[in-house]
Amino acid sequence: MTAERKRPSKGKGASKGLVVVYTGEGKGKTTAAFGLALRAIGRGWKVLMVQFTKMGEWPPGEPMGEIAGARRLEPDFKVVSTGIGFVNIFGDPYTFDEHRAAAQKGLELAREAMRSGEWDLIILDEILGAVSQNQIDLEQVLHYLKAKPRTLDLCLTGHDAKKEFIDKLLEVTDLATEMVKLKHPFDTGRQARKGIDY
């Protein structure tokens, strides 16, 4: 027997949504965002994750573990990968303009989702990396944050964010966490593992 699930109140008097940021060079930003999504779904929320710079597969043709896991939680949790692959590594066949166009398409998808009122939490995974790679402009992100509906919760993740970018982001952020690498298997030449890294 399962408990009846109710969506959070979005009417008058509903809580103001938060802006949450997970950044830094340490592992765990996307993992933390998935944990946040799981907690929200457990409270009856609908969650959308838009992934920038990621194509949702690794190796190509095989869904990443988190994508396969998220599919088990549909329709309460939807993940849309808008990237077209790794930028300038692993034999990247795309031009910068193609990568930027994919990121801009992802940002427009996120804007439409924000306006729809369908989602309680929207996660913009690796959007900070997309900014650092000039696929998305910082001003676009700041405008997006300022335009969010009052009760919508947002989460942004990514690395390679410059200090001046983070400083501007902190002005409109409610919670920000920096992941710091203390040790990583890559340091000793160990490769990424299914189920842990992807």
Side-chain angles (χ1 to χ4, degrees), residues 7-184:
R7 291 191 63 194
S9 169
K10 293 292 179 180
K12 190 174 181 178
S15 297
K16 179 183 179 290
L18 299 178
V19 176
V20 176
V21 172
Y22 298 129
T23 190
E25 294 306 310
K27 180 176 168 46
K29 297 172 289 292
T30 297
T31 305
F34 271 99
L36 183 64
L38 186 62
R39 179 177 291 152
I41 292 162
R43 292 298 185 181
W45 294 22
K46 287 197 71 176
V47 180
L48 171 68
M49 177 183 280
V50 179
Q51 290 190 312
F52 296 86
T53 74
K54 296 177 179 176
M55 61 183 174
E57 301 178 343
W58 192 255
E62 181 180 320
M64 296 178 77
E66 62 264 34
I67 302 299
R71 287 180 184 156
R72 296 181 183 192
L73 297 172
E74 288 182 350
D76 297 317
F77 187 24
K78 183 174 181 180
V79 179
V80 180
S81 302
T82 63
I84 53 176
F86 297 102
V87 180
N88 295 325
I89 58 172
F90 296 116
D92 175 22
Y94 300 104
T95 66
F96 170 77
D97 289 339
E98 289 171 310
H99 282 291
R100 182 170 170 92
Q104 293 294 322
K105 183 178 176 183
L107 189 59
E108 185 53 36
L109 184 151
R111 278 194 198 103
E112 290 172 12
M114 181 175 73
R115 293 182 192 127
S116 75
E118 179 182 354
W119 307 98
D120 302 300
L121 168 63
I122 296 177
I123 300 167
L124 306 178
D125 185 41
E126 289 297 347
I127 194 167
L128 306 185
V131 170
S132 73
Q133 295 172 354
N134 297 315
Q135 296 176 35
I136 293 174
D137 302 323
L138 172 58
E139 291 308 316
Q140 290 180 287
V141 175
L142 295 174
H143 178 75
Y144 180 92
L145 295 178
K146 290 172 185 172
K148 86 170 188 67
R150 193 182 77 82
T151 59
L152 177 68
D153 288 276
L154 289 175
C155 177
L156 291 72
T157 78
H159 66 290
D160 290 337
K162 297 176 182 173
K163 184 181 184 314
E164 56 268 27
F165 171 28
I166 293 299
D167 289 345
K168 286 184 180 180
L169 196 57
L170 287 175
E171 293 175 14
V172 291
T173 298
D174 299 291
L175 186 159
T177 298
E178 181 178 12
M179 310 294 188
V180 177
K181 183 189 87 163
L182 300 178
K183 189 174 183 180
H184 198 293

